Amino acid sequence: MMGDTYYTIGMAGHIDHGKTTLTKALTNVDTDRLKEEKERSISIEAGYAPLHTEDGTHVSIVDVPGHERFIRQMIAGVAGIDLVVLVVAADEGVMPQTQEHLEILQFLGIKRCLVAVTKIDRVDEELQELVGSDIKEALSGTIFSEAEMVYVDSVSGKGVEELRSAIFSALKQVEFRDRFGSFRLPIDQVFTVQGQGTIVRGTIYEGVIHQGSSLTVLPAGKKVRARTIQVHHEDVQEARAGQRTAVNITGMDREQVNRGDVLVASNHFLVSKTIDVAVRLVDDMQHPIKQRAPIKLHIGTSEVMGKIVFFDRNEAQTSQDEILCQLRLEGEVVVRRGDRFIIRRPTPVETIGGGWVIDPKGEKYRFGAKTAEMLEQKKAGTPEDLIAAVLNEHTLLNEQQIIQYTSLDKSVVSTALNRGIQSKRFIPAEKKFVLTSTFEKGKNEIEEIVVNYQLQHPMRPGVNKAELRQNLQDTFPKSFIDFVITEMLELGIINQQEQYLSTADFRQHLPPRWKARLDEIIGQLKEDGLQVRKWEEYFVGTPLPEAMIGELKSYLLQTEQAYALTDDMIIDQQVFLEAVKKLRKMTDETFGLQDVKRAWDVSRKYMIPLLELLDQWGWTTREEGNRRWLLSENR
């Protein structure tokens, strides 16, 4: 359902063609937020605005800078989007930057596009038709050749609702991002807020982030924690793939985090300076690109200098096919196989191509046909690679599902699965299969939740299994969570007591902060003997939080340091056992209330619940108004 997913829409196009005004007409948000932008009337950084919908669909619109000087922000802004709205002004038509944006959008793998022809009130119908023909010609031969065209005027509002409807129709066809993948957020903004510390912002590529999550900032490898999370300036408990998100992190200062860094929640992301890639070149490059020529790589929100290394040619200017080559970089980037990128020439400045990552951890290879053949094989991927890709997307699949998703023959899948299991790349999960890396991620997240719960609630037996499932249900399928829990129990990493899970070495205990006060209350309960007070009365006048009343009671009952007499009274275990021993010695096999009165010297208020406790433990039974011992005198 659309209402359960999150989308990002990019507004792309030439400077002054009305992207910011159109964004405001759709969202009522002015994305020109920087003072410098107001003064110069151009967009420098990408601005984001929420598009509110009646059906609960969550949509962010990113107003991407259009000026050529700010092309790097345009690449960073568009890299996380699901749908692009290409904005072309009716009074100017297709411009050089419009063409460049079109190429970049295709290189980045954006599949869906709408065209908004703006400023239509400035031209007559004949000119509108000419502009429409101009746009169709520019789109012909591209993947956007069938893009729907909507004519709008943002100032008068003409056509704005039609564009809104077209956007929602197009989004219904979009495959939304992988919320079950490992969390990844490429950072495009870093700033500080007084009293809160470091804030990072970006669009979540995949996965889910929860408030309090332990995270890592790459490539530095520094551990941080998500103190708070915001989506469009509203605090949320979690954020998912496709959402524009700000995270208040603890553990790193503002000066230690940079645009282009990546916030992740697992150790499965590679940091690399050498990547094998498949590149397509632009159609009208001004000069050929020579072997080992300097390039600037734009990937995610990173911007890194490097050089391009060919293995089957010494220069390239045009190519209908993908060129398989290598990028050797001056700085580290965080990439996965399949990630899209743009490469530009530093001088003269121009976009020369784009493509996708074949192998994020390339090595130095010899020039020649042998290397070119090896890269072709890498590009196609081994059967294990293809299986790993679908398992990364769907988490847990049986053999039949893997065959369907990979289109591989059954015998090939069976052989690849066996090889993957032997190499410990895959794990069999009953009749299904899972990536070892995904299993490790699930195991680490479960262990983290259990440990954090124990730190927060040391008097409880552990985290409720149903609660743990609920915490992880947006990250992993339920069947996968149950499989990992079962494996962790078998491995002895965690224990299960009734419905509660805890680490193997955990023992319920009093929280250190309140231990002295709580020990005092336990001592008072013991001193009161059989004639205890109502439980709440022990806390009167203490600085203990109200929550401790129920917490300590549950702890004492669960660890059998005390027994429940009534709903509001408990009794110390040793006191009760000593009283039972005394009563057994002073009575015959059958005894009445008067015998109990002589032994215990308590009122009926305590006598009846104490005797019922004896019955409950199976030490006595009621018999014709009296009680008979089921407990021998020696026990």
Side-chain angles (χ1 to χ4, degrees), residues 595-607:
D595 300 317
V596 177
K597 177 77 173 169
R598 280 195 301 275
W600 285 348
D601 191 26
V602 293
S603 67
R604 192 178 180 86
K605 171 184 172 183
Y606 296 104
M607 193 186 303

Side-chain angles (χ1 to χ4, degrees), residues 152-391:
V152 298
D153 189 88
S154 306
V155 178
S156 67
K158 191 184 297 181
V160 171
E161 284 309 311
E162 287 83 348
L163 178 61
R164 193 192 304 271
S165 297
I167 286 171
F168 295 148
S169 296
L171 287 178
K172 288 176 182 175
Q173 311 304 316
V174 172
E175 292 181 11
F176 58 88
R177 297 177 187 279
D178 180 14
R179 67 190 177 102
F180 294 133
S182 299
F183 170 76
R184 175 165 53 148
L185 183 145
I187 296 167
D188 60 40
Q189 289 177 333
V190 188
F191 53 96
T192 55
V193 173
Q194 192 169 3
Q196 295 183 41
T198 307
I199 312 287
V200 299
R201 191 151 58 192
T203 300
I204 301 175
Y205 270 29
E206 55 195 330
V208 180
I209 181 176
H210 299 276
Q211 186 177 339
S213 292
S214 293
L215 304 164
T216 305
V217 175
L218 295 177
K222 291 277 289 184
K223 299 290 183 185
V224 296
R225 185 171 292 276
R227 179 191 286 165
T228 57
I229 305 167
Q230 283 196 348
V231 174
H232 290 307
H233 308 292
E234 291 184 9
D235 287 339
V236 293
Q237 291 297 308
E238 64 172 35
R240 305 181 186 186
Q243 285 189 295
R244 177 73 182 164
T245 306
V247 186
N248 177 203
I249 59 172
T250 60
M252 286 185 82
D253 295 333
R254 161 70 185 87
E255 294 73 23
Q256 297 174 292
V257 190
N258 300 298
R259 174 196 175 97
D261 289 350
V262 183
L263 197 60
V264 302
S266 77
N267 56 0
H268 305 137
F269 290 95
L270 290 170
V271 173
S272 176
K273 293 172 77 171
T274 306
I275 56 177
D276 297 339
V277 297
V279 171
R280 284 192 187 278
L281 301 177
V282 298
D283 292 334
D284 54 352
M285 191 158 45
Q286 294 176 24
H287 307 283
I289 180 131
K290 296 185 182 298
Q291 174 74 292
R292 298 181 182 271
I295 53 95
K296 183 176 283 188
L297 170 72
H298 298 267
I299 189 161
T301 56
S302 297
E303 183 183 340
V304 188
M305 293 296 295
K307 60 187 176 184
I308 189 166
V309 179
F310 299 117
F311 300 103
D312 61 349
R313 66 197 75 198
N314 286 310
E315 70 173 35
Q317 185 160 10
T318 182
S319 174
Q320 294 302 310
D321 300 319
E322 288 181 324
I323 299 172
L324 306 187
C325 54
Q326 191 173 78
L327 301 180
R328 295 180 186 170
L329 307 171
E330 294 177 6
E332 292 179 316
V333 291
V334 181
V335 292
R336 268 188 170 176
R337 177 180 167 91
D339 281 358
R340 296 277 182 162
F341 62 84
I342 300 294
I343 48 175
R344 305 196 84 215
R345 194 197 307 266
T347 36
V349 175
E350 64 172 333
T351 299
I352 55 178
W356 59 281
V357 176
I358 296 173
D359 186 347
K361 206 76 171 173
E363 298 174 8
K364 289 195 174 180
Y365 315 122
R366 289 181 180 274
F367 184 92
K370 208 168 187 179
T371 296
E373 187 180 330
M374 178 272 292
L375 289 174
E376 281 287 356
Q377 290 173 351
K378 267 194 185 186
K379 175 188 169 184
T382 64
E384 287 105 304
D385 292 336
L386 295 173
I387 291 170
V390 298
L391 286 177

